[in-house]
Amino acid sequence: NFAGMDLDMSLRAFLSGFRLPGEAQKIDRILEKFASKYCEQNPTTFASADTAFILSFAIIMLNTDLHNPGIKPERKMTVESFLKTCKRATTELSDETLTNIFHRIKDDEITLKEDDALRSTKASTT
């Protein structure tokens, strides 16, 4: 149930139970269903599920960009570039909302619960 939750927190909860497939078309369909369900449970948050879908996809990209060790620090997305990317797709979201999302993702990577448990187990055995 996503009622009353911010989109990024709902997406985090949704993705904690499974790993997104590598195929873009499948990710598209999964995020489309998620956005639809989110908007159904939060009818006043966005004008349409399209906005929730676009922002969800941007959040996934941001999470990957910020937490991929293969991306050099100077090449990682900044708050400004995240705002610019999102604003190209929709003007429905405030800079404050997008900035808050950016910082929550930067400070706390979206991960799979079983990956978290595995990391915790490895950390406690070393």
Side-chain angles (χ1 to χ4, degrees), residues 21 26-27 31 44 98:
K26 288 180 182 178
I27 294 171
L31 291 182
T44 60
L98 293 171

Side-chain angles (χ1 to χ4, degrees), residues 62 76-88 95 98-99 102-103 106:
L62 175 67
K76 292 193 183 280
M77 197 176 294
T78 63
V79 174
E80 294 77 19
S81 59
F82 180 66
L83 264 64
K84 188 176 179 181
T85 298
C86 292
K87 292 288 187 175
R88 266 191 238 131
D95 287 356
L98 293 171
T99 299
F102 178 90
H103 287 293
K106 182 179 181 186

Side-chain angles (χ1 to χ4, degrees), residues 4-112:
M5 294 174 71
D6 289 332
L7 181 75
D8 60 306
M9 299 309 285
S10 296
L11 187 60
R12 180 182 302 281
F14 178 65
L15 294 175
S16 70
F18 69 97
R19 190 176 313 282
L20 278 172
E23 190 180 325
Q25 197 173 29
K26 288 180 182 178
I27 294 171
D28 240 26
R29 285 194 297 269
I30 290 168
L31 291 182
E32 200 173 285
K33 294 294 183 190
F34 164 77
S36 175
K37 190 62 143 176
Y38 179 85
C39 288
E40 181 182 302
Q41 295 177 3
N42 296 281
T44 60
T45 303
F46 299 113
S48 77
D50 287 345
T51 302
F53 169 78
I54 290 165
L55 184 55
S56 297
F57 212 95
I59 290 169
I60 298 295
M61 291 174 53
L62 175 67
N63 188 69
T64 301
D65 183 88
L66 292 179
H67 299 287
N68 182 338
I71 298 175
K72 295 178 182 179
E74 64 273 10
R75 305 271 309 162
K76 292 193 183 280
M77 197 176 294
T78 63
V79 174
E80 294 77 19
S81 59
F82 180 66
L83 264 64
K84 188 176 179 181
T85 298
C86 292
K87 292 288 187 175
R88 266 191 238 131
T90 180
T91 57
E92 194 176 329
L93 305 162
S94 72
D95 287 356
E96 180 182 5
T97 297
L98 293 171
T99 299
N100 289 339
I101 290 170
F102 178 90
H103 287 293
R104 285 193 295 262
I105 299 302
K106 182 179 181 186
D107 295 343
D108 188 15
E109 179 181 8
I110 295 174
T111 58
L112 187 63

